[in-house]
Amino acid sequence: MNDEQILALEARARRHAALADPARLRMVDLLSAGDLSPTELRTRIGMTSNLLAHHLNVLEREAIVSRGRSEGDGRRSYVRLDPSALSDLVPLSIIDAPRVVFICTANAARSQLARAIWNRNSPVPAVSAGTHPAPRIAPGAVEVAARHGFDLSDAVPTSADGVVGASDLIITVCDRAHEEYPTTALHWSVPDPVRGGTSEAFDAAFAELQSRVERLAPRVRLVA
């Protein structure tokens, strides 16, 4: 075994050790479907802030999770799972849903892109909506969609009011929307490409959404 293989083996051993605690494994289970703030994690697991901080530090040290600042409330942060660190360990529990609803603030970019990507990857139908819909879809969203074979030229931002059903699987793809929407929603903390306004920003958002959809779609089962 060469030095590179030894280092890789040692890194794997450290990740396994980091997960050899029920609380940390529970955190990974929760983060496997979406991002959560430390407060949301603490509430769901039921532990003190100091203990949660310790567990997060262990998982961050081994690059199992990372944290990013909220684009809505700057005092908040969101914890996300790095799928490459645990590709063979993330639980594959099934989520039953008749429909998926992607929600962001303006329904002008991220939620529209997520809907399009989802409908190409899953038999479970998806729609999108906004908490404060914009007058029109962002040109950058139309352009990045076209680069990947999607046509969003006729997409119109829609209000989430009256769209979401009781049995829908709600996925917020915007920090602001998540912070004003029910905590039962799954959350993907995807940076707003409209703020950057560049092709690179929209490409990055598209790639993030596509990766998220491809990981979650096989776990969502269509029910009547």
Side-chain angles (χ1 to χ4, degrees), residues 24-130:
R24 291 196 286 271
L25 198 56
R26 174 61 176 151
M27 290 165 68
V28 169
D29 287 351
L30 290 170
L31 293 167
S32 67
D35 308 334
L36 293 168
S37 69
T39 299
E40 290 168 333
L41 273 172
R42 181 169 55 81
T43 300
R44 296 194 187 192
I45 298 174
M47 65 172 54
T48 64
S49 298
N50 288 344
L51 186 55
L52 179 76
H54 163 71
H55 288 310
L56 280 177
N57 287 338
V58 172
L59 294 174
E60 262 190 313
R61 184 185 66 216
E62 303 307 329
I64 295 170
V65 303
S66 61
R67 280 181 264 196
R69 186 65 57 187
S70 167
E71 291 185 343
D73 184 344
R75 297 168 297 179
R76 293 168 64 108
S77 62
Y78 288 102
V79 183
R80 65 172 58 194
L81 179 70
D82 181 353
S84 65
L86 298 171
S87 57
D88 59 344
L89 294 178
V90 174
L92 297 177
S93 56
I94 299 300
I95 302 170
D96 290 330
R99 189 176 65 162
V100 175
V101 183
F102 290 100
I103 295 178
C104 66
T105 303
N107 190 216
R110 289 165 289 183
S111 55
Q112 295 278 5
L113 292 169
R115 170 191 60 80
I117 297 167
W118 183 276
N119 283 330
R120 179 178 285 183
N121 285 270
S122 173
V124 181
V127 297
S128 69

Side-chain angles (χ1 to χ4, degrees), residues 67-208:
R67 280 181 264 196
R69 186 65 57 187
S70 167
E71 291 185 343
D73 184 344
R75 297 168 297 179
R76 293 168 64 108
S77 62
Y78 288 102
V79 183
R80 65 172 58 194
L81 179 70
D82 181 353
S84 65
L86 298 171
S87 57
D88 59 344
L89 294 178
V90 174
L92 297 177
S93 56
I94 299 300
I95 302 170
D96 290 330
R99 189 176 65 162
V100 175
V101 183
F102 290 100
I103 295 178
C104 66
T105 303
N107 190 216
R110 289 165 289 183
S111 55
Q112 295 278 5
L113 292 169
R115 170 191 60 80
I117 297 167
W118 183 276
N119 283 330
R120 179 178 285 183
N121 285 270
S122 173
V124 181
V127 297
S128 69
T131 53
H132 305 283
R136 63 189 65 82
I137 192 167
V142 176
E143 292 166 5
V144 72
R147 289 197 291 274
H148 292 274
F150 297 98
D151 183 5
L152 294 186
S153 58
D154 294 330
V156 178
T158 303
S159 173
D161 294 339
V163 170
V164 179
S167 300
D168 288 334
L169 172 60
I170 304 167
I171 303 177
T172 52
V173 293
C174 161
D175 293 342
R176 290 185 178 87
H178 180 66
E179 287 158 17
E180 62 180 281
Y181 222 74
T183 56
T184 52
L186 297 181
H187 180 48
W188 297 348
S189 183
V190 180
D192 184 4
V194 177
R195 295 180 66 181
T198 64
S199 295
E200 291 78 11
F202 281 95
D203 284 336
F206 187 96
E208 174 76 8

